[in-house]
């Protein structure tokens, strides 16, 4: 087991994983479920699938961190070791894109929440929001340049600040007796909604995956932990804590308002739910909580973005220039490219008036492939490596984690897969540059060549279908 006596301990890594995961999604859960057409029974089934699926994925991450401690770059290392250079690169690229797009959605919700107090910010995508969002992005980049370990220490305080309004919401609903079983069961199956139960369950996938993005954060920064085992344990502890919290929020909200009422709420929905229970101050508290939470998430995701470029670059996945560090040990190039690309997308958002929900759906699409590849690698090792032990539990979570990966891709729909290919394809330029620096074959294996052909064809099909109007973002 790899040890680093000066590394981060279980507490800080666990809080980092929670901080990387607990963000805007917790404040919009029920509203987003309802807006997508999911009624209470579908939401419960969706959580059941997601809970089991994400737990098995988490166990896969934990197992891989223990039996492959040398793979300190998380999802990139697993995909590369299991399936080749180009597939590994796409896992790293997809993770980075997901974290970056997550930052964009946070910025949108941050200023939308401010817009509930100050109309000048509108829905969070107008000019003043984009300008101030840009200032935040560059400010966080500068903060990370002071040192990643220092930034992670600050994250502990931010996590505590996020939990307070959520805890108040839960306590207020229970104490006030606002949860009404009749409201919860009024239309349990969504009869008359026009969507079958399966369609409703499928519609929950983006919300349930979105709120768990970042759960692998402890594995991604496992190289900074005291040991890889510590990183794995932190990931499991973070998952259990968050799953219980998310289910409680969802169930309580659906007992306060009907699905139709929740679907009509603005951002963030939790503010309006709490307002209906305790009055205007409840809305103010949640909006303030969102502002703090999203601010902290921007900070944490900036760290994830930087590490998800730097660590793979150290293994020659990205061009060598991405490994450059300053005197504080912070990856200068990683911070710079993350900040510049985020700035570019902020401008795109302004001209397209993209919503928080649209952006996080694309972010979720980008992470599904790296998650699935990690589960497949765990399953591959379960089949091939006897020395690490292959008990019944290992077989179960390896198989279920892989099955959940397939479910995510299926439930997400072909449209989002095609659009994701548009995000993956440009990364090939950096991949080719990195391979040329190493003097190796660009696509050394048949799997690499096949993966490139699939990405290129899907990207081309996506462009055609977008132009012809058959699909839309």
């Amino acid at each position: 087991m790899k040890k680093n006596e000066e590394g981060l301990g279980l507490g800080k890594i666990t809080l980092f994983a929670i901080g990387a995961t607990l963000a805007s999604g917790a404040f919009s859960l029920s509203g987003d479920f309802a807006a997508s057409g999911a009624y209470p029974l579908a939401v419960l089934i969706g959580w059941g699938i997601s809970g089991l699926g994400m737990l098995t994925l988490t166990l896969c991450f934990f197992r891989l961190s223990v039996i492959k401690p040398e793979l300190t770059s998380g999802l990139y290392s697993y995909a590369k070791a299991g399936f080749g250079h180009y597939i590994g690169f796409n896992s790293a690229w997809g993770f980075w894109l997901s974290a970056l797009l997550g930052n964009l959605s946070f910025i949108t919700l941050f200023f939308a929440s401010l817009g509930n107090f100050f109309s000048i910010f509108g829905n969070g995508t107008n000019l003043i929001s984009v300008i101030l969002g840009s200032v935040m992005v560059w400010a966080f980049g500068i903060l990370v340049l002071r040192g990643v370990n220092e930034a992670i220490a600050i994250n502990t305080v931010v996590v505590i600040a996020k939990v307070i309004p959520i805890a108040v919401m839960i306590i207020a609903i229970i104490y006030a007796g606002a949860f009404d079983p009749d409201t919860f069961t009024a239309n349990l199956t969504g009869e008359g909604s026009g969507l079958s139960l399966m369609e409703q369950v499928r519609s929950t996938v983006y919300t349930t995956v979105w709120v768990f993005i970042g759960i692998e954060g402890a594995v991604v920064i496992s190289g900074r932990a005291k040991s890889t085992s510590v990183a794995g344990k932190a990931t499991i502890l973070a998952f259990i804590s968050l799953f219980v919290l998310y289910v409680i929020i969802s169930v309580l909200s659906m007992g306060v308002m009907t699905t139709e009422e929740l679907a009509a709420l603005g951002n963030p929905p939790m503010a309006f739910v709490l307002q209906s229970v305790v009055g205007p101050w409840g809305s103010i508290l949640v909006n303030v909580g969102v502002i703090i939470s999203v601010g902290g998430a921007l900070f944490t995701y900036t760290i994830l973005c930087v590490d998800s470029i730097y660590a793979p670059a150290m293994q020659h996945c990205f061009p060598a220039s991405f490994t450059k560090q300053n005197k504080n040990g912070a990856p200068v190039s990683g911070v710079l490219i993350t900040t510049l690309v985020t700035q570019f997308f902020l401008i795109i958002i302004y001209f397209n008036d993209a919503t928080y929900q649209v952006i996080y759906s694309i972010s979720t699409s980008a992470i599904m492939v790296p998650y699935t590849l990690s589960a497949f690698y765990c399953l591959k090792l379960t089949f091939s490596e006897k020395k690490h032990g292959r008990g019944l539990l290992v077989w179960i979570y390896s198989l279920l984690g892989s099955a959940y990966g397939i479910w995510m891709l299926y439930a997400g729909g072909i449209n989002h897969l095609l659009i994701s290919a548009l995000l993956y394809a440009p990364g090939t330029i950096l991949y080719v540059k990195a391979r040329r620096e190493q003097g190796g074959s660009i696509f050394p294996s048949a799997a690499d060549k096949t993966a490139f052909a699939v990405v290129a064809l899907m990207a081309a099909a996506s462009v055609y279908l977008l132009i012809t109007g058959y699909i839309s973002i």
Side-chain angles (χ1 to χ4, degrees), residues 49 56 77 79 124 188 203 218 240 244 249 284 313 350 363 371 373-375 392 434 440 447:
I49 294 173
T56 54
S77 300
L188 196 64
S203 75
I240 294 172
V244 172
I249 292 172
I284 293 172
Y350 169 69
S363 172
Y371 278 176
L373 288 172
S374 295
L392 179 59

Side-chain angles (χ1 to χ4, degrees), residues 32 42 84 87 97 105 111 119 131 145 182 188 195 203 221 225 255 263 300 390 411 421 444-445 457 468:
D32 287 353
I87 295 176
L97 280 173
S105 69
F111 287 103
S119 59
I131 291 174
L145 284 174
D182 291 336
L188 196 64
L195 294 176
S203 75
I221 63 165
T300 307
R390 297 185 295 183
S445 70
L457 287 172
T468 56

Side-chain angles (χ1 to χ4, degrees), residues 170-179 277-278:
I170 294 172
I171 293 171
I173 291 176
I174 296 174
Y175 181 76
F179 178 85
V277 176
V278 299

Side-chain angles (χ1 to χ4, degrees), residues 199-288:
E199 289 173 323
Q200 292 179 50
V201 172
R202 285 184 60 185
S203 75
T204 67
V205 70
Y206 279 107
T207 301
T208 56
V209 175
W210 166 244
V211 295
F212 277 117
I213 289 180
I215 195 66
E216 74 297 325
V219 176
V220 173
I221 63 165
S222 58
R224 301 180 185 275
K226 287 185 179 295
S227 71
T228 50
S229 177
V230 165
K233 291 176 182 177
T235 307
I236 293 176
L237 286 174
F239 166 79
I240 294 172
S241 302
L242 290 167
F243 179 74
V244 172
L245 183 65
Y246 291 154
V247 173
I248 291 174
I249 292 172
S250 301
V251 171
L252 289 179
S253 298
M254 292 185 294
V256 174
M257 293 183 172
T258 66
T259 300
E260 290 77 14
E261 290 171 333
L262 289 169
L265 298 179
N267 281 323
M270 184 186 288
F272 299 96
V273 172
L274 189 55
Q275 179 175 318
S276 72
V277 176
V278 299
W281 74 266
S283 176
I284 293 172
L285 177 65
V286 173
N287 275 291
V288 171

Side-chain angles (χ1 to χ4, degrees), residues 11-53:
K12 285 186 177 179
I13 294 290
T14 301
L15 285 173
F16 178 81
I18 292 175
T21 310
L22 182 61
S24 57
F27 297 95
S28 61
L29 271 174
S30 296
D32 287 353
F33 280 136
S36 67
Y39 283 74
L41 180 58
V43 172
L44 293 177
I45 294 173
W47 274 128
I49 294 173
S50 175
L52 181 60

Side-chain angles (χ1 to χ4, degrees), residues 99-166:
L100 188 147
L101 289 166
N103 261 355
L104 291 170
S105 69
F106 298 149
I107 291 171
T108 301
L109 188 61
F110 181 86
F111 287 103
S113 297
L114 282 178
N116 291 326
F117 300 112
F118 310 103
S119 59
I120 189 175
F121 295 110
N123 66 352
T125 60
N126 60 8
L127 182 59
I128 187 66
S129 298
V130 169
I131 291 174
L132 293 181
S134 301
V135 172
M136 290 177 66
V137 167
W138 286 96
F140 283 129
I142 292 171
L143 182 59
V144 173
L145 284 174
R146 295 182 58 185
V148 175
N149 280 9
E150 177 183 343
I152 292 174
I154 296 173
N155 177 70
T156 302
V157 178
V158 175
V159 171
I160 296 171
K162 292 179 186 181
V163 171
I164 292 175
I166 298 175

